[in-house]
Amino acid sequence: MPEKPIKLLLVDDEEDSRRSSAKWMARKGHDVVDVSNAAEALSLLERESFDVGVFDMNMPGMSGLELLQRVHEDNIDIEVIMLTGQGTVETAVSAMKMGACDFLSKPCALGDLEHHCFRARERHELKKENKQLKAVISRTRPAAKLIGESSSLRSVAKLIEKVAPTHKPVLIQGESGTGKEVVAQAIQQASRVADAPFVTVNCAALPENLVESELFGHQKGSFTGATAEKPGLFEIADGGTLFIDEIGELPLSLQPKLLRVLEDGSLRRVGCHRQRKVKVRIIAATNRDLQTEVDNGNFREDLFYRINVLSIELPPLRQREGDVNRLIDHFLPRSFHIDDTARSTLNAYPWPGNIRQLINVIERATILADEFEITLDDLPAEIVDYGHGPGNTREDAIGTVHPIAAVAVESAHPHDMLGSCNYKLDEVARVHVLEVLEKEKGNKAGAARKLGIHRRKLYRLLDRFNGEVDADASEPEAIV
Ligand SMILES: Nc1ncnc2c1ncn2[C@@H]1O[C@H](COP(=O)(O)OP(=O)(O)OP(=O)(O)O)[C@@H](O)[C@H]1O
């Protein structure tokens, strides 16, 4: 396979040797820019990225060594080969100490120049890969397998196969917990860049003022708190895939910047003039209707068309016939058994929180079950009672609030309780926990996170509160 061209910057005041080296390297297919002094080189490095720089050591004005020092101080991402007319061991050593990766004596054979540039580029790529891997390891979880055989999920699997080999953006739409991230990972794994980084970012989880620096990186000192330079997630994902979750939450002010990367792969870190180029496949996800966001002026139309080249609509779990059983069998540990009544109860429920909610319910049941046998007693009340209460419909369940939360919210508001001496600590805790759970629409993982406690502790608290509510609720119908 032919070697990828090297993006090379030649800096030498000797016109003849510089021009002939530049011509030779360009004829070999490399992308070469040549300049005659360090000042020009620095202003170029501000705007463009290069793989390798070949700097002449002795130039009038700023010397090659001083240029190397500036490259180092400004953290410019480039491998430098020093070039000198009077190569001595001492100058070579001082250049290497300052961060040059190689040293060439003038006049150097043009074949040698190319060979050394290839070596430097390899080192450049390895360093970049290393940086990416470090960042990616801390950001990605192992990909989950897409479980389910329903016809609606099979159609999604077919679409994944079709869109994966292209490098085009993909937009995945679906309710929360339907597996949008799992689908994004499946696309990446079936793509040509399966071994390259898969980096995820959730726009809703980041404070608005940090989204730009997280996505595009920042220069040291570009804002309070920017104590070191930082590459953005686009740079970390370079060559691979960036999964942008909750793209509907991307601030309007940043949307043109994202559009630019989608159009020509160029970006600038916050506080930096230098333009960088990246090649990243974007997969975006949203549980909002983006077209409506466009109509309401919250999302740019041009960006919507750019990311919506290929779109996948992920059906909610209630529209995946037979998949609840398959997911139960997949997620229930082998040592457990679920009885028929509990199984059919889970099948009848409409799962407003989709697969995430089902996984939580299964986890909870395995904690509560006696003798590894899961029965109705181990399922949450809202699931057991679903369909049994008067006027209980799928639609009610989809907008459901945890039943005991309803009781709590009717009783007192935590703000009213704070500072009052009329309540016991347990009562305040109960009202607060249930209010948070209500705000999280019954999502216990989310509620536990907000409360800063482990999910198991939340389950234990809910069971305790449930007992208390059962015992003291004067109107039993309130508890469903
Ligand atoms: N078909 C599936 N098979 C197995 N696990 C799944 C499937 N779909 C989702 N999951 C699991 O369900 C959980 C939620 O999935 P995921 O985070 O991908 O959902 P999401 O649609 O991105 O949610 P949100 O919109 O809230 O970010 C994860 O633990 C994921 O591994």
Side-chain angles (χ1 to χ4, degrees), residues 141-148 153 172 174-183 185 202 243 245-246 285-287 314 320 323 327 330-331 353-357 359 443:
R141 284 166 269 149
K145 206 169 157 260
L146 206 55
I147 306 296
L153 196 66
I172 308 169
E175 289 177 14
S176 181
T178 44
K180 295 185 287 297
E181 184 167 347
V182 185
V183 168
Q185 286 177 325
N202 186 330
F243 174 57
D245 204 357
E246 309 273 9
T286 177
N287 48 31
L314 206 47
R320 302 186 199 178
D323 282 357
L327 287 159
H330 178 80
F331 284 107
N354 293 292
I355 293 101
R356 181 181 290 118
Q357 186 187 8
I359 296 173
N443 177 338

Side-chain angles (χ1 to χ4, degrees), residues 5 18 50 74 80 101 110 140 158 169 202 211 276 329-331 340 346 349 389 474 478:
R18 188 185 79 236
F50 292 87
D74 294 355
V80 175
C101 72
L110 293 171
T140 51
K158 268 194 201 147
N202 186 330
V211 183
R276 293 160 200 270
D329 294 337
H330 178 80
F331 284 107
D340 289 348
L346 291 180
Y349 191 66
S474 51

Side-chain angles (χ1 to χ4, degrees), residues 32-45:
V32 192
V33 180
D34 68 288
V35 292
S36 62
N37 59 67
E40 253 187 274
L42 275 177
S43 88
L44 250 177
L45 285 165

